[in-house]
Amino acid sequence: MVELFLESFRLGEGTRSFLDHLVIVALDQVAYDTCISIHKHCFTLKTEGVDFSGEKFFMTDDYLKMMWRRVDLLRVVLQFGYDFVFSDADIMWFRDPFPLFSMEADFEIACDKYFGDPTALTNEPNGGFVHVRANNRTIDFYKFWYKSREVYPGKHDQDVLNEIKVTSGFMDLGLKMRFLSTEFFGGFCQVSTDFGKVCTMHANCCTGLTRKLQDLRLVIEDWKRYKSMTDLEKQLQRVFWRAPRECLHSFEG
């Protein structure tokens, strides 16, 4: 997965230089040892009493612990004063997203489903890709988000965000939140259809590492095919993603 992730930066338009600033967070020693063999900036995050080695299946107890550990880590990053873009490793980067970020927003998040208005709370966010500015509002928000796991036990961070985004406690934070269009930040839930605009492609709405890998390989191959075409071919030929294919079977009984 990480090898495909890194390859996407090398294949993307204006994304290779981001590798110099990319910190990969490893949750166990084996993952860290693998990381430092293929990338120069790796950080190991250990959690006492929890073994994060191996695949954590969707909505299992260890999966939920992993998701909430991520939220708490990002709160710490903000308290150190760093703005950041967080990306899951199952997101392929093909273009520079920074020109699409709002100068006014504190917190911008990708979506599983996007309905056309970047400020509409009806959009369905996905915590796998976020752009966050370090300030008191975002620090308080991450604390509130993490604390809210106790109010909604058994739910992962994304579902809890969907719950709290319409509460008075969230509104009182004054957070300037914006949802990112799937036209540019697409995924398997809602595919970005314009190869000329897509910045990232996320293997969301998909369970199982094997399925994700198979479909992400298709994504990489389709991007290579698009990049090899002439401008005229791009205008005349219909270009489409073959994925999701295997991921379509994720939630079958």
Side-chain angles (χ1 to χ4, degrees), residues 99-111:
L100 297 170
F101 293 149
S102 169
M103 295 297 294
E104 305 300 322
D106 297 318
F107 175 84
E108 299 178 274
I109 187 167
C111 297

Side-chain angles (χ1 to χ4, degrees), residues 151-170:
V151 182
Y152 304 95
K155 294 194 174 217
H156 61 64
D157 59 321
Q158 192 168 300
D159 283 342
V160 171
L161 177 57
N162 265 323
E163 296 282 358
I164 65 174
K165 69 184 181 183
V166 294
T167 64
S168 59
F170 174 81

